[in-house]
Amino acid sequence: MIRKKPHTHLFKLLQGYLAGYLAILTSHHPVVFINLQKDKVHQVEVDDQNRTVVWMDHHKTNRAFGNVFVALLPREVDWLKGLMEVSAHFGGEQCLFVFQFNGNQLSKFNTELRAAWHHAGIQGQISFGLIRTAIANQAKKHLPVEERKAMEQDSLDSLEPDNQSTGSEAGVTSTADSDNEA
């Protein structure tokens, strides 16, 4: 529908739904998605597990951990490409970033996430920090230590909900401070 009749409200909802989905899928900080560049979506690779890999060059912890990637299904990459196509109606033609409005990279997008959450009819509050904390709690509760450690490395952050890190230790931050970023 949005491709046929672009509308600001629908565009922001689309960004919120997609960012929320990616956050749940990967447990990355929202800044990873905010910094996702369009050319990286067009330069996807396929890894040995037949996942489509989108590399992200710039993110909060790239100095400590290097570049990160998001492994997606081909249809999920198509969703990103669809968002990029629609963004042309909202100033995105010249913007380098997938998540943008009026040609400017988004700096925060909890507002879009909350709008999508309520649009879906879900009660209560949501934020990227709450998503990350929920993932951390479930990982701690259900995963063996080895799998949880692998998950922590994959998300570039400590997924321990009790972690009181200040972020100064090798770029690792607690889940509690992720709301301040986006």
Side-chain angles (χ1 to χ4, degrees), residues 47-66:
D47 70 3
D48 58 354
Q49 296 175 8
N50 209 26
R51 299 176 301 181
T52 305
V53 177
V54 179
W55 287 95
M56 300 178 186
D57 290 337
H58 306 288
H59 55 87
K60 181 179 179 178
T61 57
N62 69 332
R63 278 189 237 138
F65 294 98

Side-chain angles (χ1 to χ4, degrees), residues 10 12 15 33 35-36 41 64 66 69 73 75 86 98 103 105 115 121 123 134 146 152 158 163 170 180:
L10 292 177
K12 289 187 173 205
Q15 290 187 98
F33 311 120
N35 287 327
L36 177 58
V41 174
F69 68 91
L73 297 172
R75 77 170 177 261
V86 171
V98 174
Q105 175 188 19
Q123 299 296 313
E146 301 79 32
E152 289 173 9
S158 174
N163 182 358
N180 296 331

Side-chain angles (χ1 to χ4, degrees), residues 89-130:
H89 298 284
F90 303 97
E93 296 160 330
Q94 302 302 317
C95 186
L96 300 175
F97 300 97
V98 174
F99 292 98
Q100 66 81 35
F101 190 70
N102 286 334
N104 297 309
Q105 175 188 19
L106 295 179
S107 60
K108 298 183 178 191
F109 62 141
N110 263 324
T111 303
E112 288 81 359
L113 176 66
R114 287 182 185 116
W117 183 261
H118 294 297
H119 180 262
I122 304 171
Q123 299 296 313
Q125 293 301 311
I126 190 64
S127 68
F128 290 100
L130 289 173

Side-chain angles (χ1 to χ4, degrees), residues 109-172:
F109 62 141
N110 263 324
T111 303
E112 288 81 359
L113 176 66
R114 287 182 185 116
W117 183 261
H118 294 297
H119 180 262
I122 304 171
Q123 299 296 313
Q125 293 301 311
I126 190 64
S127 68
F128 290 100
L130 289 173
I131 290 171
R132 290 175 47 78
T133 298
I135 292 169
N137 288 336
Q138 292 304 308
K140 186 174 185 178
K141 185 175 180 180
H142 297 290
L143 294 179
V145 173
E146 301 79 32
E147 288 182 41
R148 194 169 67 239
K149 295 284 184 197
M151 185 177 167
E152 289 173 9
Q153 182 61 37
D154 286 347
S155 72
L156 297 179
D157 300 294
S158 174
L159 289 177
E160 295 293 332
D162 301 327
N163 182 358
Q164 298 300 313
S165 169
T166 62
S168 60
E169 308 87 32
V172 176

